[in-house]
Structures are given as structure tokens and as C-alpha cells.
């Protein structure tokens, strides 16, 4: 091999080595990168749904602004894509056709007015039974029907009683003995004991004075009213037997009555003893009575499904009669700072209660909530929502049905895969 061939071979090897090094440098990455070669990825840009007032979250704006105190409105961003699970999308044109209306959940002072039915009843603490303390039979009755007004001292009945006639005769014997020997203390004490025995049998003092003056016992004695009132019931008629254990009649004082107010179970969260109540007669608008809840029945009436509460009411002119119907109105104490939504936002599925919330970009999603006390237009939310969450109050049933349909379809598709 000559010198020229060796030179060309060496040159070819050098060129090949340089070419191989260049290709390797161009194709393969460096073994180690310095910190300056890393590129920092910017976080994904969040989309602003609206701006809300910093002091009143229910006030929204579609652009940045300041409130009347100079504070910047706070941006509310769209939730990440993961929050779209179980959500449905509604085209704006369809939304307008469905009449979907959205309002925010707000904290507010929660109050309500309760209107219910009430019935006048007897104040049983003012009812008394009229009984005789001796056995006998009724000869005549001065009171013929319930509802009669009785004054203290009025004649109620005349009763034939052999037992009482015998006691009067014994008293006359003691009286004769005392008169025959006025100086005898024993005879005088016997007469006083006889008088006291007649009083214990219920004989009034005028009858005892008559017996002492006339000296004649009688077997038919009058029964007088021991107090005033209205006759509620008559327990015996002419010819019937009377005894200490059998009431002759029942009287009650209607100058003060009870009013039984009927509450349903969903109203009981607002009711407590001591609450003021206003009572009106439906047919007599000028009649207004006021009182306070004195007692709340611990049991539920199985027939009416109501709970009875008692209101003592003054009835000085006796206008209120047992059995009258009244309209009761209550304004319970308001509850401050309660998260509420309109009652029409609730959807009861049988096993739970949900609301449809708007999560932005035309997406809606059902959310389970725990409702609390209710008023005529609002319901308190104990859990499931936050202040400012936007809930659907019109068209929510169509959205709920669509959401359930999509969930079922998704489960069917998932189950059909191998």
C-alpha cells in the first residue's frame, strides 16, 4: 500500500468520526439538564362567572366594580371540570323556553305568621259539681236544661230524704232537752252537736234556724246553689235517687274560658308556651281576644293529626260559649341569620330532598339538602348549600328528570361494556 492510499484512508476515518459525533449530538438529548432549561407551566386560566358584593353575596355584577363603600367586588370563578359530574347542560334558548328562574340562597332573619283554627272550651278549674251529702229522691227540679244561668243561693231542687228527716227529729229532741234545763251544759252541748251534724249533712243555716223556731222536722228539703255559674250538665231527673257519690248537676264559671288551638306538626317548631296569640271570631270582626299559650299537649290527636295548645282567655261578658270556633293568629319570635331558599326550590323524591343548583356555563346539578323550619314562602336549609349558591325555582322538575335520565343512561352504557 502506498503512502497516498494511507492518507486517503486516514482522512476518510476522520471525516466519518466527525460526522458520527455530529449526528449523535443532534439526535440524542443531553444527559443532564440544568435548572434553567426547565419551562414552568402556567396554571390553567380560571373563568370568572360573575362578581359579587363583598358585604352582600346576593348582589352580583357581570363586570368588575366597587360597592358604595369603595370595596372591590369579589370574583366568583367557575368550578373545575371535575365538578361537572352528574351535571346537565342546557342551551340558552332551551333555558328561555323552559322558563328556568334562578335565585341565590341567602342568610336572612327568618320569621313566619301562623294562622290556625281554635275552639272555645270550659275552664275545668272553674267547674264544680253540685251534690247532696245525704241519700234521697228528687221531688222537683228548678233547673230543666243545660245552659241555664244560676246565681248563688238559687233553689235547684227539692229532695225527699228519710235520713235527713230522722236527723232533724234527733236535733229537736236535743233542742227540747236544752230548753227544759237551760243551765245544763251537757244538754246545751248536745244541741250544738246536733246542729253541727245537720251542717255536715249539707243542711243550710236558714233551714236549721227554721227548725229551731218552729220545732217541726220535714222530710222534703230544698237544695240551694252553693255558687254561681252556667249549668253544663244535669245528672238526675225528677224521681231519680241522689246520693253523696252522684252529682246532681255541674256548674261552671264562664267569666274565663279555655281556647284550644290546633297546630299541625310542621308548625310545632315555632310554638312554645308563653307565646302571644290573637283570637278573632270569623262572623264578628269587632271581637278580638288576646292571650298566651299556657299548655301544649304532649300527644297528637290521631283523628285530626293536630296538637292542642291551651290559651286561657278572659270572658267578662260571657260572649264566648263552649264550642265556638275562632281564628288564631301567632307571630313567633324571628330567627336571625338563617340560610333560606324559596319553598318552591325543594324537590321531594320520597327518600330525600334535593334542589337544582346552577354551577355556571349553562350547567345545572341536583344537590341533596336537609330542610329545616318553614314559613309561608321560605324554608331554612340546615346542610347541602352555602350562601350565594344559585338554586332553580322554576323549571327545576324538568331539570331533575333530565338529570336522572342521564344518570341512568350512563349506568346502562357502563354496564354494557365488557
Amino acid at each position: 500500500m502506498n503512502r497516498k492510499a494511507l492518507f486517503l484512508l486516514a482522512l476518510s476515518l476522520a471525516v466519518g468520526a466527525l460526522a458520527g459525533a455530529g449526528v449523535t449530538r443532534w439526535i440524542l438529548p443531553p444527559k443532564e439538564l440544568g435548572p434553567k432549561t426547565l419551562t414552568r407551566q402556567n396554571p390553567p386560566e380560571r373563568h370568572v362567572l360573575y362578581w359579587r358584593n363583598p358585604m352582600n353575596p346576593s348582589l352580583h355584577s357581570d363586570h368588575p366594580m366597587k360597592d358604595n363603600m369603595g370595596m372591590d367586588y369579589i370574583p366568583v370563578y367557575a368550578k373545575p371540570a371535575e365538578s361537572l359530574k352528574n351535571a346537565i347542560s342546557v342551551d340558552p334558548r332551551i333555558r328561555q323556553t323552559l322558563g328556568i328562574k334562578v335565585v341565590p340562597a341567602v342568610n336572612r332573619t327568618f320569621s313566619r305568621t301562623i294562622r290556625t283554627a281554635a275552639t272555645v272550651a270550659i275552664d275545668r278549674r272553674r267547674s264544680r259539681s253540685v251534690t247532696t251529702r245525704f241519700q234521697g229522691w228528687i221531688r222537683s227540679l228548678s233547673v230543666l236544661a243545660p245552659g241555664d244561668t244560676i246565681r248563688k243561693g238559687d233553689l235547684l231542687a227539692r229532695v225527699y230524704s228519710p235520713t235527713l228527716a230522722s236527723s232533724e227529729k234527733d236535733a229537736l229532741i236535743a233542742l227540747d232537752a236544752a230548753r227544759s234545763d237551760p243551765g245544763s251544759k251537757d244538754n246545751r252541748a248536745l244541741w250544738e252537736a246536733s246542729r253541727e251534724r245537720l251542717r255536715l249533712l249539707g243542711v243550710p243555716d236558714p233551714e236549721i234556724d227554721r227548725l229551731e223556731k218552729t220545732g217541726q222536722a220535714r222530710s222534703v228539703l230544698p237544695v240551694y246553689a252553693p255558687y254561681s255559674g252556667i249549668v253544663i250538665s244535669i245528672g238526675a231527673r225528677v224521681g231519680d235517687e241522689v246520693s253523696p257519690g252522684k252529682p246532681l248537676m255541674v256548674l261552671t264559671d264562664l267569666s274565663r274560658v279555655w281556647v284550644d288551638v290546633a297546630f299541625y306538626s310542621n308548625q310545632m317548631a315555632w310554638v312554645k308556651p308563653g307565646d302571644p296569640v290573637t283570637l278573632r271570631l270569623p262572623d264578628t270582626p269587632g271581637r278580638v281576644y288576646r292571650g298566651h299559650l299556657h299548655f301544649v299537649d304532649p300527644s297528637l290527636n290521631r283523628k285530626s293529626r293536630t296538637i292542642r295548645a291551651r290559651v286561657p282567655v278572659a270572658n267578662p261578658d260571657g260572649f264566648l260559649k263552649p264550642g265556638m270556633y275562632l281564628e288564631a293568629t301567632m307571630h313567633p319570635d324571628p330567627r336571625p341569620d338563617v340560610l333560606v331558599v324559596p319553598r318552591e326550590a325543594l324537590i321531594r323524591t320520597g327518600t330525600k330532598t334535593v334542589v337544582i343548583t346552577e354551577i355556571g356555563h349553562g350547567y345545572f346539578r341536583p344537590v341533596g339538602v336537609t330542610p329545616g323550619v318553614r314559613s309561608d314562602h321560605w324554608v331554612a336549609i340546615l346542610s347541602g348549600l352555602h350562601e350565594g349558591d344559585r338554586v332553580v325555582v322554576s323549571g327545576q322538575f324538568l331539570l331533575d328528570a333530565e338529570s336522572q335520565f342521564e344518570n341512568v343512561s350512563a349506568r346502562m352504557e357502563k354496564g354494557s361494556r365488557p
Side-chain angles (χ1 to χ4, degrees):
M1 181 178 294
N2 56 19
R3 197 180 264 192
K4 185 177 181 179
L6 289 174
F7 175 77
L8 291 175
L9 179 60
L11 181 62
S12 299
L13 292 174
V15 172
L18 291 174
V23 172
T24 304
R25 179 74 176 177
W26 178 67
I27 296 176
L28 297 178
K31 293 182 180 180
E32 193 173 71
L33 293 176
K36 293 184 179 179
T37 63
L38 289 174
T39 58
R40 184 177 180 181
Q41 295 182 353
N42 295 325
E45 183 180 356
R46 293 186 298 172
H47 176 71
V48 179
L49 294 177
Y50 55 87
W51 285 260
R52 69 172 179 85
N53 189 298
M55 304 301 293
N56 187 355
S58 63
L59 298 179
H60 296 171
S61 172
D62 58 357
H63 61 276
M65 61 179 295
K66 296 181 181 293
D67 65 2
N68 54 5
M69 299 177 62
M71 300 176 64
D72 292 329
Y73 269 47
I74 300 173
V76 177
Y77 295 96
K79 297 182 180 180
E82 290 79 5
S83 65
L84 297 181
K85 183 179 180 181
N86 297 330
I88 59 173
S89 176
V90 179
D91 184 89
R93 293 169 297 179
I94 300 299
R95 174 173 178 168
Q96 185 176 5
T97 302
L98 295 178
I100 296 175
K101 182 179 178 182
V102 180
V103 299
V106 296
N107 279 326
R108 57 172 293 175
T109 299
F110 195 28
S111 62
R112 71 169 298 179
T113 299
I114 297 178
R115 294 181 176 87
T116 185
T119 308
V120 180
I122 297 169
D123 186 344
R124 298 191 181 280
R125 296 172 299 184
R126 295 174 173 266
S127 297
R128 300 180 181 180
S129 298
V130 178
T131 58
T132 60
R133 301 179 186 177
F134 51 85
Q135 186 180 18
W137 289 264
I138 298 176
R139 285 287 182 88
S140 64
L141 273 175
S142 300
V143 180
L144 301 180
D148 291 350
T149 301
I150 301 298
R151 301 295 180 185
K152 183 178 180 179
D154 287 352
L155 178 65
L156 300 179
R158 294 183 181 276
V159 179
Y160 166 70
S161 175
T163 302
L164 195 57
S166 177
S167 298
E168 285 196 356
K169 291 178 180 180
D170 292 341
L172 286 177
I173 294 174
L175 178 60
D176 292 340
R179 286 176 175 176
S180 62
D181 188 0
S184 174
K185 294 182 179 181
D186 294 338
N187 291 340
R188 190 67 186 174
L190 183 60
W191 162 240
E192 293 298 333
S194 298
R195 287 174 59 95
E196 185 62 24
R197 183 170 182 270
L198 292 175
R199 290 194 185 97
L200 293 176
L201 289 174
V203 178
D205 287 338
E207 175 61 20
I208 297 176
D209 294 339
R210 183 205 64 79
L211 179 66
E212 185 176 3
K213 290 179 181 179
T214 63
Q216 295 180 356
R218 56 183 180 183
S219 58
V220 178
L221 296 176
V223 177
Y224 298 99
Y227 30 76
S228 302
I230 305 295
V231 178
I232 298 301
S233 63
I234 301 175
R237 295 295 177 180
V238 175
D240 289 347
E241 180 184 4
V242 294
S243 61
K246 185 178 181 181
L248 181 61
M249 61 186 64
V250 178
L251 304 180
T252 188
D253 180 10
L254 293 181
S255 62
R256 193 171 185 84
V257 296
W258 285 345
V259 176
D260 292 336
V261 183
F263 293 104
Y264 290 96
S265 56
N266 61 358
Q267 298 172 332
M268 292 306 299
W270 295 90
V271 176
K272 65 180 184 300
D275 286 344
V277 183
T278 302
L279 303 162
R280 292 180 174 85
L281 285 165
D283 299 332
T284 313
R287 288 274 181 174
V288 179
Y289 299 87
R290 291 179 172 84
H292 293 80
L293 292 181
H294 179 70
F295 168 78
V296 178
D297 200 325
S299 60
L300 178 74
N301 187 309
R302 294 185 177 182
K303 293 183 178 179
S304 63
R305 309 304 299 173
T306 59
I307 298 173
R308 177 175 58 94
R310 180 183 302 155
V311 181
V313 175
N315 185 32
D317 59 354
F319 186 84
L320 295 178
K321 301 294 189 297
M324 277 186 172
Y325 287 100
L326 302 174
E327 293 178 351
T329 305
M330 283 184 58
H331 301 281
D333 296 334
R335 304 185 180 190
D337 197 25
V338 178
L339 181 65
V340 298
V341 297
R343 291 186 63 166
E344 55 267 26
L346 297 184
I347 302 176
R348 298 171 182 85
T349 64
T351 58
K352 61 181 180 179
T353 302
V354 300
V355 298
I356 304 298
T357 59
E358 183 183 30
I359 58 178
H361 298 289
Y363 282 91
F364 298 86
R365 182 176 57 190
V367 175
V369 297
T370 303
V373 293
R374 293 171 169 81
S375 68
D376 294 337
H377 305 288
W378 301 90
V379 57
I381 301 299
L382 304 181
S383 64
L385 291 177
H386 298 88
E387 184 180 12
D389 288 348
R390 298 173 65 79
V391 299
V392 181
V393 296
S394 178
Q396 67 272 33
F397 292 98
L398 295 175
L399 295 177
D400 180 61
E402 178 67 17
S403 174
Q404 293 184 25
F405 175 77
E406 292 194 1
N407 288 339
V408 172
S409 299
R411 289 196 297 268
M412 291 176 64
E413 292 179 1
K414 184 176 181 181
S416 63
R417 295 173 184 173

mmCIF file of all heavy atoms in Angstrom, residues 112 114 116 261-273 275 293 295-300 305-310 330 332 335 373-374:
data_model
loop_
_atom_site.group_PDB
_atom_site.id
_atom_site.type_symbol
_atom_site.label_atom_id
_atom_site.label_comp_id
_atom_site.label_asym_id
_atom_site.label_seq_id
_atom_site.Cartn_x
_atom_site.Cartn_y
_atom_site.Cartn_z
ATOM 1 N N ARG A 112 -92.245 33.939 60.441
ATOM 2 C CA ARG A 112 -93.462 33.485 59.784
ATOM 3 C C ARG A 112 -94.677 33.849 60.622
ATOM 4 O O ARG A 112 -94.557 34.173 61.819
ATOM 5 C CB ARG A 112 -93.445 31.976 59.558
ATOM 6 C CG ARG A 112 -93.601 31.138 60.805
ATOM 7 C CD ARG A 112 -93.836 29.679 60.477
ATOM 8 N NE ARG A 112 -95.067 29.493 59.722
ATOM 9 C CZ ARG A 112 -95.499 28.309 59.287
ATOM 10 N NH1 ARG A 112 -94.795 27.231 59.537
ATOM 11 N NH2 ARG A 112 -96.623 28.194 58.622
ATOM 12 N N ILE A 114 -98.415 32.307 61.773
ATOM 13 C CA ILE A 114 -99.193 31.065 61.854
ATOM 14 C C ILE A 114 -100.663 31.419 62.039
ATOM 15 O O ILE A 114 -101.013 32.172 62.956
ATOM 16 C CB ILE A 114 -98.716 30.190 63.024
ATOM 17 C CG1 ILE A 114 -97.262 29.758 62.805
ATOM 18 C CG2 ILE A 114 -99.610 28.967 63.186
ATOM 19 C CD1 ILE A 114 -96.701 28.944 63.939
ATOM 20 N N THR A 116 -104.385 29.430 62.331
ATOM 21 C CA THR A 116 -104.975 28.112 62.506
ATOM 22 C C THR A 116 -106.319 28.252 63.207
ATOM 23 O O THR A 116 -106.735 29.354 63.596
ATOM 24 C CB THR A 116 -104.021 27.199 63.310
ATOM 25 O OG1 THR A 116 -104.551 25.885 63.365
ATOM 26 C CG2 THR A 116 -103.808 27.733 64.716
ATOM 27 N N VAL A 261 -106.204 25.657 70.749
ATOM 28 C CA VAL A 261 -105.660 25.988 69.433
ATOM 29 C C VAL A 261 -105.047 24.728 68.832
ATOM 30 O O VAL A 261 -104.289 24.016 69.504
ATOM 31 C CB VAL A 261 -104.614 27.107 69.529
ATOM 32 C CG1 VAL A 261 -104.118 27.502 68.144
ATOM 33 C CG2 VAL A 261 -105.201 28.328 70.241
ATOM 34 N N ALA A 262 -105.363 24.445 67.568
ATOM 35 C CA ALA A 262 -104.884 23.233 66.886
ATOM 36 C C ALA A 262 -103.684 23.580 66.013
ATOM 37 O O ALA A 262 -103.781 24.440 65.132
ATOM 38 C CB ALA A 262 -106.001 22.623 66.046
ATOM 39 N N PHE A 263 -102.544 22.920 66.271
ATOM 40 C CA PHE A 263 -101.335 23.113 65.468
ATOM 41 C C PHE A 263 -100.997 21.816 64.748
ATOM 42 O O PHE A 263 -101.138 20.727 65.311
ATOM 43 C CB PHE A 263 -100.151 23.515 66.351
ATOM 44 C CG PHE A 263 -100.287 24.877 66.971
ATOM 45 C CD1 PHE A 263 -100.614 25.016 68.308
ATOM 46 C CD2 PHE A 263 -100.086 26.023 66.217
ATOM 47 C CE1 PHE A 263 -100.742 26.260 68.888
ATOM 48 C CE2 PHE A 263 -100.215 27.278 66.783
ATOM 49 C CZ PHE A 263 -100.538 27.398 68.121
ATOM 50 N N TYR A 264 -100.521 21.962 63.514
ATOM 51 C CA TYR A 264 -100.008 20.805 62.786
ATOM 52 C C TYR A 264 -98.544 20.583 63.127
ATOM 53 O O TYR A 264 -97.858 21.482 63.628
ATOM 54 C CB TYR A 264 -100.198 20.995 61.281
ATOM 55 C CG TYR A 264 -101.639 20.936 60.854
ATOM 56 C CD1 TYR A 264 -102.386 22.104 60.686
ATOM 57 C CD2 TYR A 264 -102.266 19.715 60.646
ATOM 58 C CE1 TYR A 264 -103.722 22.054 60.315
ATOM 59 C CE2 TYR A 264 -103.602 19.651 60.257
ATOM 60 C CZ TYR A 264 -104.327 20.824 60.099
ATOM 61 O OH TYR A 264 -105.649 20.755 59.744
ATOM 62 N N SER A 265 -98.064 19.379 62.854
ATOM 63 C CA SER A 265 -96.713 19.009 63.275
ATOM 64 C C SER A 265 -95.647 19.901 62.659
ATOM 65 O O SER A 265 -94.631 20.187 63.289
ATOM 66 C CB SER A 265 -96.439 17.545 62.924
ATOM 67 O OG SER A 265 -96.639 17.324 61.534
ATOM 68 N N ASN A 266 -95.865 20.384 61.411
ATOM 69 C CA ASN A 266 -94.857 21.238 60.785
ATOM 70 C C ASN A 266 -94.854 22.660 61.345
ATOM 71 O O ASN A 266 -94.014 23.471 60.969
ATOM 72 C CB ASN A 266 -95.061 21.281 59.263
ATOM 73 C CG ASN A 266 -96.422 21.842 58.878
ATOM 74 O OD1 ASN A 266 -97.248 22.178 59.720
ATOM 75 N ND2 ASN A 266 -96.662 21.928 57.591
ATOM 76 N N GLN A 267 -95.795 22.982 62.236
ATOM 77 C CA GLN A 267 -95.817 24.293 62.879
ATOM 78 C C GLN A 267 -95.233 24.260 64.282
ATOM 79 O O GLN A 267 -94.957 25.312 64.861
ATOM 80 C CB GLN A 267 -97.264 24.808 62.955
ATOM 81 C CG GLN A 267 -97.936 25.008 61.606
ATOM 82 C CD GLN A 267 -99.416 25.323 61.743
ATOM 83 O OE1 GLN A 267 -100.083 24.913 62.706
ATOM 84 N NE2 GLN A 267 -99.949 26.042 60.777
ATOM 85 N N MET A 268 -95.013 23.055 64.818
ATOM 86 C CA MET A 268 -94.616 22.940 66.211
ATOM 87 C C MET A 268 -93.209 23.478 66.470
ATOM 88 O O MET A 268 -92.877 23.827 67.606
ATOM 89 C CB MET A 268 -94.710 21.487 66.675
ATOM 90 C CG MET A 268 -96.134 20.965 66.755
ATOM 91 S SD MET A 268 -97.208 22.019 67.765
ATOM 92 C CE MET A 268 -96.392 21.935 69.357
ATOM 93 N N ALA A 269 -92.363 23.545 65.444
ATOM 94 C CA ALA A 269 -91.018 24.083 65.650
ATOM 95 C C ALA A 269 -91.055 25.559 66.028
ATOM 96 O O ALA A 269 -90.078 26.079 66.570
ATOM 97 C CB ALA A 269 -90.182 23.890 64.383
ATOM 98 N N TRP A 270 -92.177 26.229 65.753
ATOM 99 C CA TRP A 270 -92.298 27.655 66.055
ATOM 100 C C TRP A 270 -93.071 27.912 67.350
ATOM 101 O O TRP A 270 -93.166 29.071 67.782
ATOM 102 C CB TRP A 270 -93.020 28.364 64.915
ATOM 103 C CG TRP A 270 -92.290 28.367 63.624
ATOM 104 C CD1 TRP A 270 -92.369 27.446 62.634
ATOM 105 C CD2 TRP A 270 -91.346 29.337 63.174
ATOM 106 N NE1 TRP A 270 -91.547 27.771 61.596
ATOM 107 C CE2 TRP A 270 -90.901 28.936 61.891
ATOM 108 C CE3 TRP A 270 -90.828 30.514 63.722
ATOM 109 C CZ2 TRP A 270 -89.977 29.666 61.158
ATOM 110 C CZ3 TRP A 270 -89.912 31.241 62.984
ATOM 111 C CH2 TRP A 270 -89.484 30.820 61.730
ATOM 112 N N VAL A 271 -93.640 26.876 67.950
ATOM 113 C CA VAL A 271 -94.588 27.065 69.056
ATOM 114 C C VAL A 271 -93.921 26.728 70.383
ATOM 115 O O VAL A 271 -93.233 25.715 70.500
ATOM 116 C CB VAL A 271 -95.834 26.174 68.848
ATOM 117 C CG1 VAL A 271 -96.774 26.282 70.036
ATOM 118 C CG2 VAL A 271 -96.546 26.580 67.557
ATOM 119 N N LYS A 272 -94.153 27.575 71.383
ATOM 120 C CA LYS A 272 -93.663 27.285 72.730
ATOM 121 C C LYS A 272 -94.587 27.973 73.738
ATOM 122 O O LYS A 272 -95.242 28.995 73.422
ATOM 123 C CB LYS A 272 -92.227 27.765 72.916
ATOM 124 C CG LYS A 272 -92.033 29.257 72.849
ATOM 125 C CD LYS A 272 -90.574 29.622 73.037
ATOM 126 C CE LYS A 272 -90.361 31.126 73.083
ATOM 127 N NZ LYS A 272 -90.799 31.807 71.858
ATOM 128 N N PRO A 273 -94.694 27.457 74.967
ATOM 129 C CA PRO A 273 -95.533 28.100 75.982
ATOM 130 C C PRO A 273 -95.081 29.533 76.233
ATOM 131 O O PRO A 273 -93.887 29.834 76.255
ATOM 132 C CB PRO A 273 -95.316 27.214 77.221
ATOM 133 C CG PRO A 273 -94.933 25.875 76.666
ATOM 134 C CD PRO A 273 -94.127 26.175 75.436
ATOM 135 N N ASP A 275 -96.027 32.088 74.224
ATOM 136 C CA ASP A 275 -96.175 32.875 73.002
ATOM 137 C C ASP A 275 -97.536 33.578 72.981
ATOM 138 O O ASP A 275 -98.553 32.967 73.329
ATOM 139 C CB ASP A 275 -96.037 31.993 71.767
ATOM 140 C CG ASP A 275 -94.604 31.569 71.509
ATOM 141 O OD1 ASP A 275 -93.702 32.199 72.097
ATOM 142 O OD2 ASP A 275 -94.389 30.611 70.744
ATOM 143 N N LEU A 293 -100.069 31.215 75.141
ATOM 144 C CA LEU A 293 -100.084 29.753 75.218
ATOM 145 C C LEU A 293 -99.675 29.328 76.622
ATOM 146 O O LEU A 293 -98.589 29.658 77.095
ATOM 147 C CB LEU A 293 -99.123 29.143 74.204
ATOM 148 C CG LEU A 293 -99.493 29.302 72.722
ATOM 149 C CD1 LEU A 293 -98.446 28.628 71.855
ATOM 150 C CD2 LEU A 293 -100.860 28.715 72.441
ATOM 151 N N PHE A 295 -100.327 25.928 77.823
ATOM 152 C CA PHE A 295 -100.050 24.495 77.891
ATOM 153 C C PHE A 295 -100.061 23.920 76.480
ATOM 154 O O PHE A 295 -100.913 24.284 75.658
ATOM 155 C CB PHE A 295 -101.112 23.794 78.755
ATOM 156 C CG PHE A 295 -101.102 22.295 78.661
ATOM 157 C CD1 PHE A 295 -100.158 21.554 79.351
ATOM 158 C CD2 PHE A 295 -102.024 21.630 77.878
ATOM 159 C CE1 PHE A 295 -100.140 20.171 79.251
ATOM 160 C CE2 PHE A 295 -102.023 20.250 77.778
ATOM 161 C CZ PHE A 295 -101.066 19.523 78.472
ATOM 162 N N VAL A 296 -99.086 23.050 76.165
ATOM 163 C CA VAL A 296 -99.036 22.365 74.879
ATOM 164 C C VAL A 296 -99.158 20.868 75.140
ATOM 165 O O VAL A 296 -98.377 20.293 75.902
ATOM 166 C CB VAL A 296 -97.722 22.666 74.130
ATOM 167 C CG1 VAL A 296 -97.681 21.897 72.813
ATOM 168 C CG2 VAL A 296 -97.586 24.161 73.870
ATOM 169 N N ASP A 297 -100.166 20.264 74.537
ATOM 170 C CA ASP A 297 -100.428 18.839 74.751
ATOM 171 C C ASP A 297 -99.240 18.004 74.257
ATOM 172 O O ASP A 297 -98.767 18.198 73.133
ATOM 173 C CB ASP A 297 -101.693 18.435 73.992
ATOM 174 C CG ASP A 297 -102.296 17.141 74.523
ATOM 175 O OD1 ASP A 297 -101.514 16.260 74.932
ATOM 176 O OD2 ASP A 297 -103.527 17.005 74.537
ATOM 177 N N PRO A 298 -98.755 17.070 75.066
ATOM 178 C CA PRO A 298 -97.615 16.259 74.631
ATOM 179 C C PRO A 298 -97.973 15.156 73.634
ATOM 180 O O PRO A 298 -97.079 14.491 73.115
ATOM 181 C CB PRO A 298 -97.108 15.650 75.945
ATOM 182 C CG PRO A 298 -98.309 15.603 76.826
ATOM 183 C CD PRO A 298 -99.137 16.804 76.467
ATOM 184 N N SER A 299 -99.251 14.949 73.364
ATOM 185 C CA SER A 299 -99.664 13.872 72.463
ATOM 186 C C SER A 299 -100.372 14.444 71.240
ATOM 187 O O SER A 299 -100.887 15.564 71.259
ATOM 188 C CB SER A 299 -100.585 12.879 73.177
ATOM 189 O OG SER A 299 -101.750 13.536 73.648
ATOM 190 N N LEU A 300 -100.405 13.639 70.169
ATOM 191 C CA LEU A 300 -101.029 14.026 68.910
ATOM 192 C C LEU A 300 -102.429 13.441 68.827
ATOM 193 O O LEU A 300 -102.650 12.277 69.171
ATOM 194 C CB LEU A 300 -100.178 13.523 67.746
ATOM 195 C CG LEU A 300 -100.693 13.802 66.329
ATOM 196 C CD1 LEU A 300 -100.496 15.266 65.982
ATOM 197 C CD2 LEU A 300 -99.976 12.925 65.320
ATOM 198 N N ARG A 305 -104.913 14.740 63.508
ATOM 199 C CA ARG A 305 -103.475 14.849 63.267
ATOM 200 C C ARG A 305 -102.946 16.222 63.677
ATOM 201 O O ARG A 305 -102.087 16.808 63.025
ATOM 202 C CB ARG A 305 -103.122 14.581 61.795
ATOM 203 C CG ARG A 305 -103.697 13.308 61.211
ATOM 204 C CD ARG A 305 -103.286 12.095 62.021
ATOM 205 N NE ARG A 305 -101.847 11.892 62.057
ATOM 206 C CZ ARG A 305 -101.244 10.974 62.812
ATOM 207 N NH1 ARG A 305 -101.972 10.200 63.613
ATOM 208 N NH2 ARG A 305 -99.942 10.840 62.776
ATOM 209 N N THR A 306 -103.490 16.755 64.752
ATOM 210 C CA THR A 306 -103.057 18.053 65.262
ATOM 211 C C THR A 306 -102.645 17.923 66.723
ATOM 212 O O THR A 306 -102.970 16.942 67.395
ATOM 213 C CB THR A 306 -104.178 19.104 65.151
ATOM 214 O OG1 THR A 306 -105.333 18.656 65.896
ATOM 215 C CG2 THR A 306 -104.563 19.340 63.704
ATOM 216 N N ILE A 307 -101.947 18.933 67.194
ATOM 217 C CA ILE A 307 -101.516 19.009 68.588
ATOM 218 C C ILE A 307 -102.225 20.202 69.227
ATOM 219 O O ILE A 307 -102.211 21.312 68.685
ATOM 220 C CB ILE A 307 -99.991 19.155 68.686
ATOM 221 C CG1 ILE A 307 -99.315 17.924 68.072
ATOM 222 C CG2 ILE A 307 -99.545 19.346 70.125
ATOM 223 C CD1 ILE A 307 -97.816 18.039 67.969
ATOM 224 N N ARG A 308 -102.835 19.977 70.370
ATOM 225 C CA ARG A 308 -103.645 21.001 71.023
ATOM 226 C C ARG A 308 -102.798 21.839 71.976
ATOM 227 O O ARG A 308 -101.979 21.318 72.736
ATOM 228 C CB ARG A 308 -104.789 20.338 71.796
ATOM 229 C CG ARG A 308 -105.662 21.290 72.589
ATOM 230 C CD ARG A 308 -106.817 20.528 73.211
ATOM 231 N NE ARG A 308 -106.322 19.461 74.078
ATOM 232 C CZ ARG A 308 -106.135 19.600 75.393
ATOM 233 N NH1 ARG A 308 -106.406 20.756 75.987
ATOM 234 N NH2 ARG A 308 -105.702 18.583 76.120
ATOM 235 N N ALA A 309 -103.004 23.145 71.901
ATOM 236 C CA ALA A 309 -102.379 24.077 72.844
ATOM 237 C C ALA A 309 -103.480 24.905 73.501
ATOM 238 O O ALA A 309 -104.467 25.275 72.839
ATOM 239 C CB ALA A 309 -101.376 24.980 72.152
ATOM 240 N N ARG A 310 -103.321 25.194 74.778
ATOM 241 C CA ARG A 310 -104.385 25.852 75.545
ATOM 242 C C ARG A 310 -104.043 27.312 75.805
ATOM 243 O O ARG A 310 -102.908 27.656 76.165
ATOM 244 C CB ARG A 310 -104.584 25.120 76.867
ATOM 245 C CG ARG A 310 -105.675 25.700 77.757
ATOM 246 C CD ARG A 310 -105.722 24.932 79.056
ATOM 247 N NE ARG A 310 -105.976 23.515 78.795
ATOM 248 C CZ ARG A 310 -105.608 22.542 79.619
ATOM 249 N NH1 ARG A 310 -104.938 22.828 80.727
ATOM 250 N NH2 ARG A 310 -105.880 21.282 79.320
ATOM 251 N N MET A 330 -100.662 33.813 65.217
ATOM 252 C CA MET A 330 -99.442 33.909 66.017
ATOM 253 C C MET A 330 -98.323 34.498 65.174
ATOM 254 O O MET A 330 -98.225 34.239 63.968
ATOM 255 C CB MET A 330 -99.004 32.527 66.530
ATOM 256 C CG MET A 330 -99.798 31.995 67.694
ATOM 257 S SD MET A 330 -99.095 30.420 68.246
ATOM 258 C CE MET A 330 -97.411 30.913 68.635
ATOM 259 N N PRO A 332 -94.557 34.172 65.836
ATOM 260 C CA PRO A 332 -93.460 33.668 66.667
ATOM 261 C C PRO A 332 -92.218 34.545 66.560
ATOM 262 O O PRO A 332 -92.061 35.345 65.632
ATOM 263 C CB PRO A 332 -93.199 32.261 66.108
ATOM 264 C CG PRO A 332 -94.437 31.906 65.340
ATOM 265 C CD PRO A 332 -94.977 33.198 64.821
ATOM 266 N N ARG A 335 -86.056 34.311 63.725
ATOM 267 C CA ARG A 335 -84.766 33.646 63.886
ATOM 268 C C ARG A 335 -83.740 34.347 63.005
ATOM 269 O O ARG A 335 -83.866 34.349 61.773
ATOM 270 C CB ARG A 335 -84.873 32.173 63.521
ATOM 271 C CG ARG A 335 -85.938 31.459 64.331
ATOM 272 C CD ARG A 335 -85.962 29.981 64.051
ATOM 273 N NE ARG A 335 -86.993 29.316 64.846
ATOM 274 C CZ ARG A 335 -87.130 28.016 64.950
ATOM 275 N NH1 ARG A 335 -86.298 27.217 64.306
ATOM 276 N NH2 ARG A 335 -88.086 27.479 65.690
ATOM 277 N N VAL A 373 -86.999 24.472 59.401
ATOM 278 C CA VAL A 373 -88.317 25.072 59.602
ATOM 279 C C VAL A 373 -88.752 25.800 58.344
ATOM 280 O O VAL A 373 -87.931 26.233 57.524
ATOM 281 C CB VAL A 373 -88.296 26.035 60.807
ATOM 282 C CG1 VAL A 373 -88.079 25.277 62.096
ATOM 283 C CG2 VAL A 373 -87.225 27.103 60.634
ATOM 284 N N ARG A 374 -90.063 25.941 58.194
ATOM 285 C CA ARG A 374 -90.636 26.574 57.007
ATOM 286 C C ARG A 374 -91.496 27.752 57.402
ATOM 287 O O ARG A 374 -92.076 27.786 58.476
ATOM 288 C CB ARG A 374 -91.488 25.563 56.225
ATOM 289 C CG ARG A 374 -90.699 24.426 55.581
ATOM 290 C CD ARG A 374 -91.645 23.367 55.034
ATOM 291 N NE ARG A 374 -90.981 22.403 54.195
ATOM 292 C CZ ARG A 374 -90.301 21.361 54.640
ATOM 293 N NH1 ARG A 374 -90.203 21.149 55.944
ATOM 294 N NH2 ARG A 374 -89.725 20.517 53.795
#
